[in-house]
Amino acid sequence: MPFPLVFALLLWSTTAYAQAVLELAAPSPERRRELVHLVRQDCGSCHGMTLQGGLGPPLTPAALRDRPVDSMVATIYGGRPGTPMPPWHRFLSEAEARWIVEQLRAGFPQ
Ligand code: HEC
């Protein structure tokens, strides 16, 4: 096989693979609705019903823009010991915590 063809095939298969993995990691539409409800109700009790802050800091796109994504995922999944921020690993997966962070950074759905 000519080299450019092999390269193109390799590139195509890795992108297709990456897309499949991302799709698998993304929560289903039904689960997304549950997660949005969880954030509005449970996270909202500390971070404010409109996520503008309360006992916990604001979770708005402006507030989170400069925060490292991985550390926010870890904060949601594992909590922050020594602060009121509780761990949520009993209620969601790490991939779901990452999905929530992405939504928060983009402007959380109603
Ligand atoms: C009992 C109150 C409480 C609840 C419920 C709560 N949080 Fe928090 N959260 C806090 C506090 C307080 C902090 C700040 C911790 C610190 O001082 O570092 C925090 C920090 C965070 C941070 C880090 C923000 C930053 O600026 O680094 C994120 C992200 C976060 N919470 C998301 C969530 C999400 C998502 C939920 C719901 C799944 C949630 N929190 C539920 C109290 C809470």
Side-chain angles (χ1 to χ4, degrees):
M1 225 190 281
F3 177 73
L5 193 62
V6 173
F7 184 72
L9 208 63
L10 198 72
L11 196 68
W12 175 82
S13 58
T14 47
T15 355
Y17 179 74
Q19 264 166 5
V21 167
L22 279 178
E23 267 310 304
L24 276 180
S28 71
E30 193 196 340
R31 182 63 180 150
R32 285 178 202 205
R33 278 193 292 278
E34 287 172 9
L35 291 172
V36 167
H37 187 73
L38 174 94
V39 171
R40 291 275 172 209
Q41 294 301 309
D42 297 87
C43 315
S45 65
C46 282
H47 291 276
M49 285 302 162
T50 55
L51 304 176
Q52 304 283 332
L55 172 64
L59 300 178
T60 55
L64 300 184
R65 194 170 22 210
D66 299 328
R67 299 254 173 220
V69 168
D70 286 349
S71 110
M72 287 192 286
V73 173
T75 295
I76 295 171
Y77 192 70
R80 235 177 235 176
T83 81
M85 175 62 190
W88 293 86
H89 56 77
R90 277 191 301 276
F91 305 98
L92 40 77
S93 69
E94 209 171 337
E96 288 170 344
R98 188 167 298 275
W99 183 82
I100 289 173
V101 169
E102 283 163 12
Q103 305 311 304
L104 289 170
R105 283 166 54 91
F108 204 73
Q110 283 304 318

